[in-house]
Amino acid sequence: MTEPDLFAPEAVVVGQPKRSKWRTYRGPALAVSTVEGTPLAEVTDIDHTHFVLARTSGEVVVRIEKRSWIGPFQQFGPVRFRFTDGADREIGAAGARGLIKSLQLSLRTEPGRQLLLTRLNPASVEWRLTETDPGSGGPPPEILGRVTVSTVDPWIGLQQYDVEMTPRLDASERRTFVASVVCLHLIRRPPGEGSAPA
């Protein structure tokens, strides 16, 4: 039986797998599935700066390297993410800056297309994928995708991201978009920290 294509669906769910509050969790950091719940991929946290998005078969799809400014005020500095494939070839990037970094991520796809993943205000649970900045004052940009976040387990604070993509995104752009949702989660919920999401 062949694996479902990770980047064929126009909607996927990226979320923290359920776990027990009373036992040490040793599973993947995040899981990617179809809206119906069919597993597609998992994200493994290697060392809090390197993450691997791999299909359920184990095939590496994207390696994510997190780079941030080192220093006493690290939380105020920019954060950069580098995306590489299984052969260590660069296939995209994402970056965020500012005090509330989860307001906007700048994305670069493998072909070099520049995209923005933006939420309009800090209280919003929806991010929109566009080519131009929605806050620039010009005409409203075309929405190429959406990410809606919800808390699926208030007791532990597990997060789920519903990702919708338009047909205008090709497979490589969808790959960058899904990887950027992983980055969004890492910015909102740093590994090993129990702080409230940003």
Side-chain angles (χ1 to χ4, degrees), residues 7-10 109 113 115 129-131 142-146 163-175 177-178:
F7 305 112
E10 290 187 7
T109 67
R113 186 178 187 186
L115 299 170
L129 184 71
T130 57
E131 280 190 291
E142 178 185 5
I143 298 172
L144 301 171
R146 296 178 196 272
V163 183
E164 301 171 43
M165 300 171 268
T166 69
R168 288 209 51 219
L169 296 175
D170 65 24
S172 70
E173 292 164 344
R174 289 176 184 223
R175 177 180 59 194
F177 186 22
V178 172

Side-chain angles (χ1 to χ4, degrees), residues 129-152:
L129 184 71
T130 57
E131 280 190 291
T132 58
D133 192 339
S136 64
E142 178 185 5
I143 298 172
L144 301 171
R146 296 178 196 272
V147 178
T148 307
V149 67
S150 58
T151 301
V152 293

Side-chain angles (χ1 to χ4, degrees), residues 189-190 192-196:
R189 300 295 297 268
E193 291 190 17
S195 58

Side-chain angles (χ1 to χ4, degrees), residues 41-60:
E42 294 180 343
V43 176
T44 304
D45 178 354
I46 305 300
D47 60 8
H48 296 344
T49 58
H50 294 82
F51 305 83
V52 175
L53 171 64
R55 299 182 197 275
T56 51
S57 64
E59 177 194 353
V60 173

